[in-house]
Amino acid sequence: MSLDLSKKQKKELKKLQQSAAHVWEAQQVVAASAAELAKQAGRQLETFGRQQVAPTVEEKYHEHVGPYVDRARPYVDRGMSASKKFVQLSLLPVAGTVAGKALSAWDASADARAKLAHLGSAPVPPPKKKSSAGPVIALILGIGAAVGVLYAAWQTLRADDELWVADDPLAAPDA
């Protein structure tokens, strides 16, 4: 089976290819124009946002949210200073004490092993580590507490549509 085309078919195919090339060039021009138009629209939108939206948002923030932030600031500052004081006066000394006692116990056990080795007795193998559920349970409880705190913060700070009150009272339905 041969695919020889007649002169008429070849001529029509050539015209079709030329038309397709012409349409392709026109599409490229339209695409370039659309890209330029989108770029200009983006610039206009940026200018509008900077000149109109940003000042309005800032004004509404200072009008509606700013007073609450200013009222909450002393409580936040007090909480931060109390947290800092707790960490510096309670948590760090306890952690240092625990670390110091653990290192002292480690040194004492190393000294005891060294004395036994010098006496000629058989070397004392290090104690086997026990598998316990304590650290796993503490980790799970810590993760659960962190998730609870994050969930409470999210519930407090999220925008709740149910809290909005309509300006006009709802009309009773006709009976």
Side-chain angles (χ1 to χ4, degrees):
M1 182 168 149
S2 171
L3 293 178
D4 291 331
L5 299 175
S6 67
K7 286 185 178 185
K8 184 178 179 183
Q9 288 174 331
K10 287 181 182 179
K11 189 176 181 181
E12 287 176 1
L13 278 175
K14 192 168 188 173
K15 281 184 182 180
L16 186 60
Q17 285 177 338
Q18 289 174 351
S19 293
H22 180 66
V23 168
W24 178 252
E25 289 173 13
Q27 285 179 344
Q28 295 300 317
V29 170
V30 168
S33 297
E36 182 61 32
L37 181 66
K39 190 186 297 183
Q40 289 176 2
R43 285 190 210 124
Q44 290 295 323
L45 186 61
E46 181 182 344
T47 302
F48 177 76
R50 190 172 49 252
Q51 293 175 352
Q52 301 292 326
V53 176
T56 303
V57 168
E58 187 175 339
E59 176 187 332
K60 294 299 180 185
Y61 170 82
H62 288 299
E63 182 180 332
H64 295 290
V65 179
Y68 295 108
V69 170
D70 292 340
R71 279 196 284 180
R73 186 176 314 274
Y75 300 110
V76 171
D77 291 341
R78 198 173 326 143
M80 286 179 58
S81 65
S83 298
K84 186 176 180 181
K85 184 186 290 185
F86 172 76
V87 167
Q88 289 178 345
L89 298 179
S90 299
L91 192 64
L92 288 178
V94 169
T97 302
V98 168
K101 286 185 179 184
L103 289 174
S104 297
W106 181 267
D107 288 341
S109 68
D111 289 344
R113 277 194 215 143
K115 285 181 185 177
L116 287 175
H118 287 311
L119 294 176
S121 64
V124 178
K128 293 183 179 180
K129 291 186 177 180
K130 295 181 183 178
S131 301
S132 68
V136 175
I137 292 172
L139 179 65
I140 291 171
L141 289 176
I143 291 172
V147 167
V149 168
L150 289 175
Y151 179 74
W154 176 72
Q155 286 292 329
T156 303
L157 298 176
R158 72 183 175 99
D160 196 355
D161 294 337
E162 297 171 6
L163 294 177
W164 294 102
V165 178
D167 293 337
D168 299 327
L170 297 175
D174 295 332

